[in-house]
Amino acid sequence: AQSVTQLGSHVSVSEGALVLLRCNYSSSVPPYLFWYVQYPNQGLQLLLKYTSAATLVKGINGFEAEFKKSETSFHLTKPSAHMSDAAEYFCAVSEKGTYKSIFGTGTRLKVLA
Amino acid sequence: NAGVTQTPKFQVLKTGQSMTLQCAQDMNHNSMYWYRQDPGMGLRLIYYSASEGTTDKGEVPNGYNVSRLNKREFSLRLESAAPSQTSVYFCASSEVGNSGANVLTFGAGSRLTVL
């Protein structure tokens, strides 16, 4: 069965500091992995996705994530946080041939001036 | 560029009342979904429709029914609302891309309060 664990429901960073949001997954077959972002009072939108083409995936707004099979991880990073990055971030997993995406519980990122 | 449109955005119900959440997408996607979002629990799948004419249960289907009216529209019905159904509901649609990944496009959400 698929599952996703996001460590840290709240993360605070200073503006200009490194952003690191953690995601570990469980899947019986090679997974597809996603990061979605939710700004206040909005729906979720895709930040980036891993589809086995490359282990380092670049997304929008300067975010990237690295797939590490040995660690079953797909952590999200950004070198320098901006105030506009304040949002809730969700990691999700799905398997090829299925229509279900399983979401983590989310990490709320706060950026301090 | 409407994408996924949900109505209503806000609704307050009394316990036992019924209501239907409407969802429509204009991207010609085959698959549509209903999720609920609760604090600390992420998004949980209620029902999905892989293609027009089919519906399947997700993780938390109890207390809900769905109708895939046509390729564009997918509605969620609460027959007898309960306080435990107070939540934010998201409709989404998807099409499997060339990579095989199922990328979801979400609506803006419907906030439901059951008193």
Side-chain angles (χ1 to χ4, degrees):
Chain A
Q2 305 166 75
S3 67
V4 174
T5 302
Q6 290 184 242
L7 291 177
S9 58
H10 293 82
V11 170
S12 294
V13 299
S14 297
E15 191 174 20
L18 171 71
V19 175
L20 171 61
L21 304 182
R22 299 179 185 275
C23 172
N24 289 88
Y25 70 91
S26 170
S27 177
S28 57
V29 298
Y32 295 124
L33 293 159
F34 310 84
W35 277 98
Y36 289 87
V37 59
Q38 183 181 31
Y39 298 104
N41 299 314
Q42 295 185 27
L44 283 73
Q45 54 185 283
L46 182 71
L47 204 54
L48 50 80
K49 64 180 186 286
Y50 166 76
T51 60
S52 77
T55 56
L56 183 62
V57 180
K58 294 186 184 299
I60 61 173
N61 301 336
F63 283 93
E64 61 182 38
E66 186 172 9
F67 173 70
K68 292 187 176 181
K69 185 178 179 181
S70 60
E71 299 177 7
T72 61
S73 69
F74 190 58
H75 301 330
L76 182 70
T77 60
K78 182 174 180 177
S80 177
H82 191 272
M83 297 298 288
S84 61
D85 295 327
E88 191 157 19
Y89 293 80
F90 291 91
C91 183
V93 62
S94 70
E95 294 178 355
K96 188 175 183 178
T98 72
Y99 295 92
K100 296 181 185 180
S101 292
I102 304 300
F103 285 80
T105 52
T107 298
R108 189 171 297 277
L109 176 66
K110 187 174 182 179
V111 182
L112 306 171
Chain B
N1 286 350
V4 178
T5 303
Q6 296 180 230
T7 56
K9 292 190 185 305
F10 301 94
Q11 184 73 46
V12 179
L13 292 178
K14 294 180 179 178
T15 297
Q17 287 185 319
S18 62
M19 76 157 300
T20 300
L21 298 176
Q22 307 285 355
C23 176
Q25 53 95 4
D26 63 1
M27 296 170 287
N28 203 34
H29 285 170
N30 279 319
S31 305
M32 298 186 72
Y33 311 78
W34 278 104
Y35 284 87
R36 60 178 289 173
Q37 182 180 26
D38 302 290
M41 305 192 74
L43 275 78
R44 292 180 292 168
L45 182 63
I46 304 171
Y47 271 94
Y48 68 102
S49 171
S51 60
E52 187 179 356
T54 69
T55 60
D56 285 284
K57 295 178 180 179
E59 302 169 70
V60 289
N62 292 344
Y64 305 95
N65 286 300
V66 290
S67 295
R68 182 75 183 265
L69 304 170
N70 48 54
K71 190 171 186 179
R72 290 186 64 247
E73 298 172 288
F74 189 41
S75 63
L76 178 72
R77 182 161 179 84
L78 287 69
E79 291 290 353
S80 179
S84 60
Q85 295 178 303
T86 293
S87 187
V88 181
Y89 292 85
F90 287 98
C91 179
S93 68
S94 75
E95 194 68 46
V96 175
N98 292 334
S99 64
N102 198 38
V103 177
L104 299 170
T105 301
F106 285 86
S110 298
R111 185 175 295 274
L112 174 65
T113 301
V114 183
L115 302 176

